[in-house]
């Protein structure tokens, strides 16, 4: 695996790859890699000639400085994991490679920098106004800021994102579409550990005891999916909240049953609507998110 820290050197190498007409699969990450990330690399390997990962802990998407400081950084281990997974190239830039001083200053002043749109109008509609968008002001602007920069550097044929961050996936799809970037955004399923907990870099900050408790999150989601044809939406929500309350250390931020396209909460779904259940909660100091896609609604016969 070739590792680039410099954007200029990386771009000149990429030019050679492109000259050879090789297709590029791109997997952006913030490091502290786990099996969820690896699944994206593996998927990319099946579909592309050259697989590129990036590791960049993006300061503009954190709305809490202590969360940024405490974000796990395990670069050496990450490189070993990527080599084992067969990744061809790693781009791991310093902050100064990706952001100008002015951009960092805007972030420090909590001003949303929209220059990533390069003068185009990008409208996320209602997608960014719910769930993570509501709870983490500026988060998605930071995400599209870095992902658009990375896309402009790498210009991949396909980019791979996990359904673990479902709202992020939808927003990136919309961004690529509205900026007319010719990149296929590939959605990859959530990878879970043995007890069902969705893999996350933040899980590294959980104690063993907390990890066991966190299994209740996916248990609740699976239970809601099992009950989806027997109960109304409000009953399902009540059952889930009750179940999550049993994890006495959980501080639930939101639990939503939403339309999978618009991500707007649904109260009485129609027969054509596909639904997704999304949850965010705090366990001790760590904020966790998870989701599950419900089966298509059964049509009455
Ligand atoms: P992150 O490093 O957390 O920014 O994640 C990088 C990519 O990996 C994103 O597209 C995530 O959605 C994806 N990802 C993170 N955790 C998982 C998981 N458990 N299963 C599948 N994809 C994941």
């Amino acid at each position: 695996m070739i590792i680039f820290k410099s954007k200029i050197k990386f771009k000149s190498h990429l030019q050679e790859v492109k000259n050879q007409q090789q297709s590029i699969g791109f997997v952006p990450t913030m490091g502290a890699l786990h099996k969820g990330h690896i699944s994206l690399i593996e998927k990319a390997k099946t579909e592309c000639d050259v697989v590129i990962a990036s590791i960049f802990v993006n300061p503009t998407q954190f709305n809490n400085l202590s969360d940024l400081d405490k974000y796990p950084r395990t670069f050496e281990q990450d490189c070993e994991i990527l080599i084992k997974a067969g990744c061809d190239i790693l781009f791991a830039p310093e902050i100064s490679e990706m952001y100008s001083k002015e951009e960092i200053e805007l972030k420090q002043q909590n001003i949303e920098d929209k220059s990533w749109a390069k003068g185009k109008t990008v409208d996320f509609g209602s997608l960014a106004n719910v769930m993570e968008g509501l709870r983490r002001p500026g988060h998605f602007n930071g995400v599209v800021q870095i992902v658009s920069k990375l896309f402009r550097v790498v210009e991949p044929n396909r980019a791979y994102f996990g359904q673990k961050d479902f709202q992020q996936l939808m927003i990136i799809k919309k961004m690529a579409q509205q900026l007319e970037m010719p990149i296929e955004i590939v959605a990859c399923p959530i990878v879970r550990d043995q007890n069902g907990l969705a893999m996350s870099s933040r899980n590294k900050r959980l104690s063993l005891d907390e990890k066991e408790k966190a299994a209740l999150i996916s248990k609740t989601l699976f239970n809601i999916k099992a009950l989806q044809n027997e109960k109304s939406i409000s009953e399902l929500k009540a059952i889930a909240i009750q179940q999550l309350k049993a994890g006495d250390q959980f501080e639930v931020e939101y639990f939503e049953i939403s339309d999978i396209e618009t991500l707007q909460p649904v109260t009485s779904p129609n027969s054509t609507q596909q639904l997704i259940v999304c949850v965010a909660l705090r366990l001790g100091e760590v904020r966790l998110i998870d989701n599950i896609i419900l089966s298509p609604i059964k049509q009455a016969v």
Side-chain angles (χ1 to χ4, degrees):
M1 182 174 75
I2 317 176
I3 303 174
F4 291 98
K5 296 213 165 196
S6 142
K7 193 165 66 184
I8 292 182
K9 288 185 183 157
F10 177 45
K11 279 188 95 163
S12 88
H13 181 81
L14 276 175
Q15 198 49 56
E16 287 172 32
V17 173
K18 283 175 187 159
N19 289 345
Q20 292 163 18
Q21 313 287 327
Q22 303 200 76
S23 63
I24 294 178
F26 179 45
V27 179
T29 82
M30 297 208 297
L33 301 181
H34 50 70
K35 288 184 184 148
H37 297 113
I38 298 314
S39 72
L40 309 191
I41 301 276
E42 284 170 352
K43 174 87 172 145
K45 276 191 77 72
T46 65
E47 298 181 342
C48 308
D49 300 322
V50 174
V51 174
I52 300 176
S54 64
I55 294 182
F56 182 70
V57 182
N58 175 35
T60 68
Q61 73 187 68
F62 285 82
N63 48 337
N64 175 333
L65 265 183
S66 115
D67 194 23
L68 172 61
D69 279 349
K70 289 185 181 153
Y71 201 84
R73 289 160 170 91
T74 56
F75 188 72
E76 302 300 323
Q77 208 180 316
D78 290 347
C79 289
E80 283 170 26
I81 291 175
L82 288 171
I83 290 169
K84 246 195 206 153
C87 179
D88 300 296
I89 299 173
L90 169 62
F91 180 47
E94 297 295 335
I95 292 178
S96 57
E97 288 283 313
M98 298 311 293
Y99 288 111
S100 65
K101 260 194 192 156
E102 291 73 27
E103 286 172 319
I104 292 296
E105 275 167 18
L106 285 177
K107 173 65 189 172
Q108 283 162 350
Q109 293 162 29
N110 273 332
I111 299 173
E112 280 200 3
D113 179 356
K114 303 274 187 191
S115 56
W116 53 266
K118 304 259 187 236
K120 288 196 177 164
T121 312
V122 177
D123 180 12
F124 294 120
S126 49
L127 275 183
N129 302 335
V130 289
M131 300 191 287
E132 296 300 289
L134 210 59
R135 268 55 176 211
R136 304 182 65 189
H139 168 66
F140 284 127
N141 193 63
V143 169
V144 291
Q145 200 177 4
I146 191 63
V147 174
S148 60
K149 278 175 188 276
L150 289 167
F151 278 4
R152 288 184 175 114
V153 173
V154 181
E155 295 180 331
N157 301 81
R158 297 185 190 84
Y160 296 79
F161 290 87
Q163 288 180 339
K164 157 87 175 18
D165 302 279
F166 196 84
Q167 194 174 6
Q168 167 178 285
L169 166 70
M170 297 295 279
I171 284 178
I172 287 168
K173 269 190 185 168
K174 213 162 209 150
M175 176 203 82
Q177 195 186 49
Q178 296 195 9
L179 293 180
E180 297 175 86
M181 291 174 153
I183 303 170
E184 184 189 341
I185 306 298
V186 183
C188 304
I190 301 177
V191 177
R192 300 177 178 281
D193 70 12
Q194 293 121 313
N195 69 8
L197 175 62
M199 299 252 177
S200 165
S201 305
R202 288 189 168 84
N203 295 355
K204 292 193 165 75
R205 292 176 54 204
L206 296 173
S207 66
L208 268 182
D209 179 48
E210 286 172 330
K211 260 190 196 155
E212 267 171 38
K213 286 192 172 128
L216 187 58
I217 304 169
S218 59
K219 261 195 202 133
T220 304
L221 292 176
F222 286 120
N223 188 34
I224 294 305
K225 183 162 176 153
L227 293 173
Q228 73 166 102
N229 291 318
E230 290 165 37
K231 307 277 180 192
S232 69
I233 296 286
S234 59
E235 286 168 334
L236 290 173
K237 276 180 101 165
I239 291 167
I241 297 290
Q242 193 60 34
Q243 204 171 345
L244 289 170
K245 267 192 188 152
D248 53 359
Q249 288 176 327
F250 289 171
E251 199 187 304
V252 179
E253 278 193 16
Y254 61 79
F255 182 94
E256 299 286 9
I257 303 181
S258 308
D259 179 278
I260 202 164
E261 297 293 332
T262 64
L263 298 185
Q264 297 307 294
V266 166
T267 43
S268 43
N270 64 46
S271 59
T272 57
Q273 248 173 336
Q274 173 102 49
L275 303 180
I276 183 165
V277 185
C278 298
V279 61
L281 56 77
R282 283 185 182 277
L283 175 52
E285 285 207 329
V286 185
R287 187 174 185 276
L288 299 170
I289 60 171
D290 199 352
N291 67 73
I292 197 163
I293 297 174
L294 297 187
S295 308
I297 295 165
K298 274 191 188 156
Q299 305 266 3
V301 276

